[in-house]
Amino acid sequence: YRLFTDLTNQSGMDFETYWAIKRSKESNTSILKNRLLFSEKQTKEFTKAWMSLIEEERYLEMDTLFTDTLTVLQQLEGKSALYLVTARQFTERANRQLDRLGISSFFKKIIVTEQNRTKAELIRLLDLDFSHSVIVGDTGEDTLAGKELSMTTVNVLTGFRNEQVLRSYSPDYIFNNLSDFYTEIVQH
């Protein structure tokens, strides 16, 4: 949201409104063209700036963990091999952020797509028994990657997609958050 407002000079669209729009699967491009009436040129300039700035330290430092994240990772520690797969551009920046958040050590491996391979392609390289694996994510793309690999698919509603959008990808499970996932699936 901060990057969006920085790039558009929009203080009229508050945080809740922006995220409600994004969670319904409307892209920044659509918001720019249809709601803010940006020209094609302005939209292209925004997109270029967005991609160059989205993983700058000043924006990454604004990210925080959800309150249940650390607890769930601690509960899973030793019970499962955890892998983090993220569609980020820069491995070094992703690793620095995960270190800052204090969660790197929970993962057997951290995999960054660097925007040049799909999550499914990179997960496949792990050579795991996918029929006994679970992919937990907050996007439909995570569900599609899991389905491609015959994994159990779980979505959590803490990301930038709402339940209706996530249901359209037909995940095996949808939970409000990681705690609900842990309680309902892992503990049982």
Side-chain angles (χ1 to χ4, degrees):
Y1 171 74
R2 175 63 58 88
L3 178 56
F4 182 85
T5 58
D6 286 351
L7 292 175
T8 60
N9 297 316
Q10 290 294 315
S11 56
M13 184 179 296
D14 65 28
F15 181 85
E16 289 78 19
T17 302
Y18 175 77
W19 280 108
I21 294 167
K22 291 289 289 178
R23 289 176 57 77
S24 69
K25 203 176 178 181
E26 190 168 338
S27 68
N28 279 338
T29 300
S30 174
I31 295 169
L32 295 171
K33 288 180 177 180
N34 300 326
R35 295 173 185 267
L36 301 180
L37 306 177
F38 272 41
S39 69
E40 190 67 35
K41 180 181 178 191
Q42 289 172 305
T43 302
K44 285 181 181 179
E45 289 170 355
F46 171 95
T47 302
K48 183 178 179 180
W50 177 277
M51 292 306 291
S52 71
L53 296 172
I54 188 69
E55 292 182 40
E56 278 197 355
E57 292 298 327
R58 64 185 163 141
Y59 291 109
L60 295 178
E61 288 172 359
M62 293 179 190
D63 289 344
T64 59
L65 296 175
F66 287 99
T67 56
D68 59 347
T69 302
L70 193 55
T71 301
V72 171
L73 289 172
Q74 289 168 338
Q75 291 168 326
L76 288 170
E77 193 171 27
K79 292 181 182 177
S80 300
L82 302 177
Y83 298 85
L84 188 140
V85 183
T86 183
R88 301 272 292 275
Q89 299 175 82
F90 306 106
T91 299
E92 183 180 315
R93 292 179 190 177
N95 286 331
R96 241 189 342 262
Q97 182 183 35
L98 295 168
D99 287 342
R100 181 182 57 78
L101 293 170
I103 61 173
S104 296
S105 63
F106 292 103
F107 301 101
K108 187 169 183 176
K109 187 168 187 166
I110 296 168
I111 301 163
V112 179
T113 68
E114 295 183 341
Q115 302 292 308
N116 61 26
R117 296 183 81 178
T118 68
K119 288 181 181 182
E121 289 172 321
L122 294 171
I123 294 169
R124 189 175 285 110
L125 296 175
L126 294 172
D127 196 30
L128 301 172
D129 179 359
F130 298 124
S131 67
H132 291 96
S133 298
V134 176
I135 186 168
V136 179
D138 61 8
T139 69
E141 291 75 18
D142 296 326
T143 299
L144 294 176
K147 288 183 176 297
E148 183 177 328
L149 299 168
S150 300
M151 300 169 81
T152 299
T153 57
V154 174
N155 282 145
V156 289
L157 296 175
T158 50
F160 65 96
R161 296 291 182 240
N162 65 31
E163 186 170 358
Q164 180 182 357
V165 170
L166 292 175
R167 285 208 184 282
S168 73
Y169 291 91
S170 302
D172 296 308
Y173 302 95
I174 295 179
F175 295 104
N176 288 323
N177 51 47
L178 287 175
S179 291
D180 290 353
F181 157 73
Y182 182 80
T183 301
E184 295 297 319
I185 300 296
V186 180
Q187 282 187 329
H188 287 107

